Amino acid sequence: MIDGGRGISAMARSLEILSKTLANWVYRARKGQALLMCVPAKPVAEIEAELSRLRQENARSRLEKEILKKAAAYFARESM
């Protein structure tokens, strides 16, 4: 298509995509740019920090759960 083959509209119909999308791709290919813009991922340091925070929160939640279980058992024995 870039070499003057089929038109953008005809090619877009055969590929079942919007002609504007194909036109953008052709424009970028002619300029030597990347066809798709990539969204940068979170840096590894951010992911590791979040993982550490979530692990600490999980440990705290487990401890609180155990304390509540023991308190419920204690008060259940006292009410008998």
Side-chain angles (χ1 to χ4, degrees):
M1 194 180 107
I2 292 176
D3 296 330
R6 297 170 57 186
I8 289 179
S9 297
M11 183 63 77
R13 273 194 303 276
S14 69
L15 295 171
E16 298 180 359
I17 61 173
L18 295 175
S19 59
K20 181 64 178 166
T21 301
L22 185 58
N24 287 336
W25 290 349
V26 170
Y27 174 78
R28 288 189 177 135
R30 286 184 177 149
K31 290 186 76 175
Q33 298 175 345
L35 298 181
L36 298 175
M37 293 184 175
C38 298
V39 177
K42 282 185 177 179
V44 174
E46 281 186 42
I47 293 172
E48 289 173 349
E50 184 177 5
L51 178 61
S52 177
R53 183 187 61 78
L54 291 172
R55 283 183 175 161
Q56 289 174 354
E57 185 178 326
N58 191 16
R60 186 173 44 251
S61 295
R62 285 182 181 171
L63 181 61
E64 289 173 356
K65 183 178 128 184
E66 289 300 315
I67 291 170
L68 290 173
K69 273 183 177 179
K70 290 177 182 178
Y74 173 78
F75 289 116
R77 274 187 269 130
E78 290 294 317
S79 65
M80 288 185 182

